[in-house]
């Protein structure tokens, strides 16, 4: 077992494919014109008003500040299957996932000042990015996510990733879990799909219980999952529980992790049988990750 306590100005770059997400154009014809989201009232109508369906195409036209009563778009039985184009506008003040279950796409959206505390799997862009879901070009600042409870995964791109998360940047942000298997990351918590191009600046990922793995790219990367092109600058990854592994690319890695960079960043584990690393904290093909649970 290797305990890694401090990394400074390190670079690890295994040969690996570069994740590329194609930027889709926003529909402009009259027959397919996107529905404009001008304010918090419009945003709250998605999935709740027949003129704002869950399979619609949306375009945010201004910065939006939501109230503490904001409710996530859709749910696990009625997922969001449409497109949400943020136009690099900002949503501030979220106290819940922006979208609950994503089978569509979110792109070019900024988030600031979110404070989310939950007892279930939680992500800023989406709680769950399902197999057809895509999150791309997300920038966040001063975001804080905390989950409490067994298998309550947490992440900025998403808590549970089965689809694709690409180009996520987190600045001055924290992702924290408290509970068994409370896996946490910036790109994603528990990753079964693909997470690429994740950057954390002055940010922290922290877990505090048994097998609660932590990472910047992904907290845990399941077999078949991929985390690529992860960069941490002045950031920290910390676990304190038994068998809770930590890394910059991924904490517990069963899949593939490549192209990981750490600059003035730290990876620390405090529990028994808890390993730390840059690309990944621990790789063990004989182990199994917990079955996903919301």
């Amino acid at each position: 077992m290797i305990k890694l306590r401090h990394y400074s100005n390190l670079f690890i770059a295994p040969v690996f494919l570069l994740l590329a997400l194609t930027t889709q154009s926003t529909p402009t014809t009259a027959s397919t014109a996107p529905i404009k989201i001008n304010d918090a009232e419009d945003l709250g109508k998605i999935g709740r008003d027949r003129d704002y369906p869950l399979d619609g195409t949306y375009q945010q036209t201004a910065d939006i500040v939501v109230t503490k009563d904001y409710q996530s778009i859709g749910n696990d039985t009625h997922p969001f299957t449409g497109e949400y184009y943020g136009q690099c506008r900002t949503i501030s003040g979220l106290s819940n996932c922006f979208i609950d279950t994503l089978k569509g796409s979110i792109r070019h959206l900024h988030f600031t000042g979110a404070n989310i505390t939950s007892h279930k799997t939680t992500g800023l862009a989406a709680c769950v990015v399902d197999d057809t879901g895509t999150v791309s070009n997300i920038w966040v600042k001063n975001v804080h996510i905390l989950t409490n409870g067994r298998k309550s995964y947490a992440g900025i791109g998403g808590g549970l990733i089965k689809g694709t998360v690409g180009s996520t940047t987190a600045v001055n942000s924290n992702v924290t879990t408290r509970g068994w298997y409370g896996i946490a990351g910036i790109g994603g918590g528990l990753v079964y799909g693909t997470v690429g191009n994740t950057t954390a600046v002055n940010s922290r990922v922290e877990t505090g219980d048994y097998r609660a793995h932590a990472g910047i790219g992904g907290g845990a990367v399941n077999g078949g999952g991929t985390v690529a092109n992860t960069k941490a600058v002045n950031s920290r990854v910390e676990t304190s529980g038994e068998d809770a592994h930590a890394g910059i690319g991924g904490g517990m890695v069963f899949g593939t992790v490549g192209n990981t960079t750490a600059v003035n960043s730290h990876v620390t584990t405090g529990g028994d049988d808890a390993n730390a690393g840059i690309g990944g904290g621990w790789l063990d093909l004989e182990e199994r990750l917990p079955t996903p649970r919301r």
Side-chain angles (χ1 to χ4, degrees):
M1 178 179 69
I2 299 174
K3 294 274 189 173
L4 184 61
R5 296 299 180 189
H6 174 78
Y7 291 95
S8 179
N9 294 316
L10 295 177
F11 176 74
I12 295 180
V15 177
F16 196 76
L17 61 87
L18 176 66
L19 178 73
L21 290 174
T22 302
T23 301
Q24 304 171 14
S25 60
T26 303
T28 57
T29 62
S31 60
T32 59
I35 300 170
K36 305 293 186 180
I37 300 298
N38 303 310
D39 51 33
E41 182 179 356
D42 290 342
L43 188 62
K45 293 178 181 178
I46 300 177
R48 299 177 179 87
D49 185 305
R50 65 181 182 181
D51 293 328
Y52 293 75
L54 290 171
D55 62 354
T57 297
Y58 298 93
Q59 185 181 81
Q60 187 169 323
T61 62
D63 294 341
I64 295 173
V65 179
V66 300
T67 69
K68 63 180 181 179
D69 298 321
Y70 175 82
Q71 296 182 7
S72 302
I73 296 170
N75 54 46
D76 57 342
T77 58
H78 297 87
F80 180 77
T81 58
E83 299 179 17
Y84 193 96
Y85 181 48
Q87 296 197 115
C88 296
R89 299 289 190 175
T90 299
I91 295 176
S92 301
L94 285 175
S95 58
N96 209 335
C97 309
F98 175 56
I99 289 176
D100 183 279
T101 302
L102 177 67
K103 287 192 174 184
S105 66
I106 306 168
R107 51 198 170 98
H108 297 288
L109 186 58
H110 295 178
F111 296 95
T112 62
N115 283 281
I116 302 174
T117 300
S118 175
H119 294 278
K120 67 170 188 174
T121 291
T122 298
L124 180 63
C127 292
V128 175
V129 180
D130 218 332
D131 53 358
T132 59
T134 299
V135 176
S136 62
N137 296 290
I138 301 298
W139 182 91
V140 312
K141 186 176 182 179
N142 297 329
V143 166
H144 307 283
I145 298 174
L146 169 65
T147 66
N148 295 284
R150 187 182 178 97
K151 296 186 182 179
S152 295
Y153 317 129
I156 298 290
L160 174 61
I161 310 297
K162 297 180 181 179
T164 301
V165 174
S167 298
T168 302
T169 298
V171 180
N172 298 334
S173 297
N174 301 323
V175 179
T176 304
T177 66
R178 296 286 181 264
W180 280 30
Y181 297 101
I183 299 169
I186 297 291
L190 177 55
V191 178
Y192 283 81
T194 300
V195 173
N197 303 320
T198 303
T199 300
V201 180
N202 298 325
S203 295
R204 178 192 297 262
V205 180
E206 181 181 358
T207 69
D209 219 320
Y210 176 70
R211 289 199 172 182
H213 313 303
I216 298 294
V221 186
N222 195 38
T226 297
V227 169
N229 307 321
T230 304
K231 184 175 183 179
V233 179
N234 299 327
S235 295
R236 302 184 67 92
V237 180
E238 300 180 5
T239 68
S240 58
E242 179 184 354
D243 202 15
H245 308 303
I248 299 295
M252 171 69 88
V253 179
F254 296 87
T256 303
V257 171
N259 296 339
T260 303
T261 305
V263 180
N264 295 328
S265 295
H266 303 256
V267 181
T268 303
T269 60
D272 293 337
D273 299 320
N275 298 277
I278 294 293
W282 183 255
L283 171 65
D284 188 344
L285 298 178
E286 295 182 358
E287 293 282 349
R288 290 187 178 182
L289 291 173
T291 301
R293 189 184 75 176
R294 292 185 61 81

